């Protein structure tokens, strides 16, 4: 069955083609799925009959604009033949996924030379995020690392006002996610078709939970017929409350500075309630004698990633509150189920949209979902196990 959703296909800009090339427009897809995340890259899939017009143009490297709302870049395609005829399934990332293709190199590094040192930045969270994008995608010392046409929007000073981050050879998308999640921010990359540019900007949501009296309250609840299905998760599986932090970089392991910390406002736990985690941290020392203070700052920053997780997943009924009109990614809303006795005022952290035979279905994630096995593995690698 034809879904009828508009998909526009473009060639990306580059040095030889400084404007987006309009390849074509199709509405022949039989299935579309998109997922957008606030602080991490999202993804998409498009299934379309192989004989449909412009189906053969869905090739890796091309851009797609789905339903005039979701920008993605095709990473791959699968051709299939069966009872339903021949079809192509194209898949890829949203444009913020371009940050997955870069690592953070220390200053003055070009190619494989000069691998010592860290890139350390201080300022607002927004300034820190934009610094790492600028240094590794816009004005890198190696021009081959830069993305032609990528611009950074004007800094508005959002997030924590005295933030700090240091990075060396980390995935850029992971650095942006760590900074953004700690400050309740996200980010995006959106093309400007008129100027032939990609624009990177930080995203900050609006409180629509009803705590702000000047805005209408948005509540997702089955009993209010604003949600069709709900899943509530309250997990301590990956939570930790005692942190043994070691400052990496010592010549001998027994000389490494190690301290124990708990998060601010929490008590030191014991017995069954004690959950320990070792952190191997790179902490800068701008002044002699500041080792302890800097290690504490870095440890407490990393400890935020080990809080208990609480999230709601809701299949939305769009009749009363429509995504993209009444609320957006990053907004704070109310999610509740009275029978469960659960009420949250979380952010919209992810949205999956399915276009199929039964119409359009929005499934929202509110709050921070538990780590899957891949998330645990990435965190173990970052912390050295």
């Amino acid at each position: 069955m034809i879904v009828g959703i508009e998909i526009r296909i473009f060639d990306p800009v580059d040095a030889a083609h400084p404007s987006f090339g309009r390849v074509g427009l199709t509405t022949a897809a039989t299935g579309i799925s998109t997922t957008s995340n606030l602080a991490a890259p999202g993804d998409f899939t498009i299934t379309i009959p192989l004989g449909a017009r412009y189906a053969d143009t869905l090739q890796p490297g091309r851009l797609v604009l789905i339903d005039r709302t979701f920008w993605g870049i095709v990473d791959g395609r699968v051709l299939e033949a069966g009872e339903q005829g021949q079809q192509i399934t194209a898949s890829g990332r949203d444009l913020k996924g371009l940050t997955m293709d870069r690592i953070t190199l220390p200053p003055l590094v070009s190619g494989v030379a000069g691998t010592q040192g860290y890139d350390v930045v201080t300022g607002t969270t927004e300034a820190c995020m934009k610094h790492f994008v600028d240094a590794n995608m816009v004005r890198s010392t190696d021009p081959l690392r830069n993305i032609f046409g990528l611009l950074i929007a004007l800094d508005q000073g959002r997030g924590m006002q005295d933030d700090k981050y240091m990075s060396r050879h980390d995935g850029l998308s992971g650095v942006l996610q760590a900074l953004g999640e700690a400050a309740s921010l996200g980010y995006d990359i959106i093309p400007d078709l008129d100027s032939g540019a990609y624009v990177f900007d930080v995203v900050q949501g609006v409180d629509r939970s009803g705590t702000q009296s000047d805005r209408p309250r948005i509540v997702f609840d089955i009993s209010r017929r604003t949600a069709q299905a709900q899943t509530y998760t309250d997990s301590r599986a990956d939570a930790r409350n005692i942190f043994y932090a070691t400052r990496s970089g010592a010549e001998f392991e027994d000389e490494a500075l190690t301290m124990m910390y708990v998060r601010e406002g929490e008590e030191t736990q014991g017995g069954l309630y004690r959950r320990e985690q070792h952190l191997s941290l790179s902490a800068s020392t701008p002044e002699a004698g500041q080792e302890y203070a800097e290690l504490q700052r870095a440890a407490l920053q990393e400890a935020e990633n080990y809080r208990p997780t609480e999230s709601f997943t809701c299949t939305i009924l769009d009749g009363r509150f429509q995504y993209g009109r009444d609320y957006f990614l990053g907004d704070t809303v109310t999610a509740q189920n009275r029978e469960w006795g659960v009420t949250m005022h979380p952010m919209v952290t992810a949205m999956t949209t399915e276009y199929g035979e039964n119409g359009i279905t929005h499934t929202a994630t509110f709050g921070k979902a538990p780590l899957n096995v891949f998330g645990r593995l990435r965190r173990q690698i970052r912390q050295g196990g």
Side-chain angles (χ1 to χ4, degrees):
M1 178 178 177
I2 302 299
V3 176
I5 298 300
E6 180 182 283
I7 301 171
R8 295 177 181 267
I9 306 165
F10 297 86
D11 281 323
V13 298
D14 55 33
H17 306 89
S19 61
F20 293 96
R22 300 175 186 268
V23 176
L25 181 154
T26 181
T27 57
T30 57
I32 305 171
S33 175
T34 67
T35 296
S36 299
N37 301 304
L38 178 62
D43 53 53
F44 72 92
T45 59
I46 299 170
T47 301
I48 185 171
L50 190 56
R53 192 179 185 191
Y54 296 116
D56 59 341
T57 66
L58 290 169
Q59 299 178 4
R62 280 197 163 131
L63 309 183
V64 292
L65 174 58
I66 301 171
D67 200 18
R68 301 191 180 189
T69 58
F70 183 98
W71 279 99
I73 181 169
V74 179
D75 283 332
R77 60 180 187 162
V78 176
L79 305 180
E80 298 176 287
E83 295 181 357
Q84 303 298 321
Q86 299 187 72
Q87 64 181 21
I88 176 174
T89 299
S91 60
R93 302 162 284 170
D94 58 12
L95 286 189
K96 72 166 67 170
L98 294 173
T99 61
M100 299 170 64
D101 298 334
R102 296 292 185 275
I103 63 172
T104 57
L105 295 185
L108 303 180
V109 171
S110 178
V112 297
T115 58
Q116 302 301 314
Y118 287 82
D119 190 355
V120 182
V121 61
T122 60
T124 65
T125 305
E126 179 174 1
C128 292
M129 294 173 72
K130 290 182 173 179
H131 163 80
F132 285 112
V133 173
D134 185 58
N136 295 283
M137 299 180 74
V138 179
R139 293 189 298 174
S140 172
T141 55
D142 180 354
L144 294 177
R145 305 185 69 226
N146 298 329
I147 293 182
F148 183 87
L150 180 59
L151 304 176
I152 298 178
L154 183 66
D155 193 334
Q156 299 182 42
R158 291 168 287 196
M160 292 183 283
Q161 296 304 296
D162 189 22
D163 212 342
K164 182 176 182 179
Y165 203 89
M166 60 186 303
S167 181
R168 175 176 179 265
H169 301 162
D170 299 315
L172 177 57
S173 62
V175 170
L176 297 176
Q177 181 175 354
L179 281 161
E181 287 183 342
S184 299
L185 297 176
Y187 69 97
D188 211 346
I189 296 177
I190 299 295
D192 184 334
L193 295 179
D194 293 332
S195 64
Y198 308 96
V199 181
F200 174 93
D201 202 3
V202 166
V203 174
Q204 183 175 46
V206 173
D207 188 348
R208 305 181 192 275
S209 65
T211 58
Q212 303 292 325
S213 59
D214 60 332
R215 299 189 182 98
R217 187 183 185 201
I218 295 185
V219 181
F220 294 100
D221 188 344
I222 290 179
S223 66
R224 291 174 177 247
R225 298 191 58 79
T226 53
Q228 183 176 2
Q230 293 178 312
T231 300
Y232 171 69
T233 301
D234 182 9
S235 175
R236 303 296 188 271
D238 296 295
R240 299 293 183 267
N241 51 31
I242 302 295
F243 301 92
Y244 291 91
T246 299
R247 184 169 180 266
S248 62
E251 183 177 357
F252 301 103
E253 290 187 4
D254 58 355
E255 294 180 354
L257 174 63
T258 300
M259 298 292 292
M260 189 195 80
Y261 300 103
V262 297
R263 281 182 290 258
E264 294 180 3
E266 296 185 6
E267 297 180 359
T268 303
Q269 298 291 335
L272 293 175
Y273 302 101
R274 188 180 182 92
R275 291 170 172 257
E276 300 178 346
Q277 177 67 36
H278 177 256
L279 305 174
S280 179
L281 300 170
S282 302
S284 63
T285 53
E287 297 179 10
Q290 296 297 312
E291 293 85 356
Y292 291 95
E294 181 59 23
L295 182 61
Q296 180 183 36
R297 183 205 63 78
L300 293 179
Q301 184 181 56
E302 184 65 26
E304 291 300 307
N305 296 320
Y306 293 87
R307 286 189 179 275
T309 56
E310 186 180 25
S311 67
F312 241 117
T313 301
C314 296
T315 302
I316 306 299
L317 289 174
D318 281 340
R320 185 172 180 184
F321 305 123
Q322 292 190 16
Y323 178 65
R325 185 194 71 183
D326 302 305
Y327 67 101
F328 302 84
L329 208 63
D331 285 354
T332 300
V333 298
T334 297
Q336 66 182 26
N337 187 301
R338 295 179 180 179
E339 292 186 5
W340 299 343
V342 175
T343 298
M344 296 173 57
H345 303 292
M347 288 195 306
V348 184
T349 53
M351 179 64 74
T352 296
T353 304
E354 299 280 351
Y355 303 85
E357 295 182 1
N358 298 322
I360 302 174
T361 301
H362 293 299
T363 302
T365 298
F366 306 108
K368 184 177 180 181
L371 290 175
N372 58 25
V373 64
F374 299 106
R376 292 190 185 98
L377 179 61
R378 284 195 296 269
R379 190 163 69 181
Q380 290 169 1
I381 291 172
R382 188 175 69 245
Q383 292 302 330

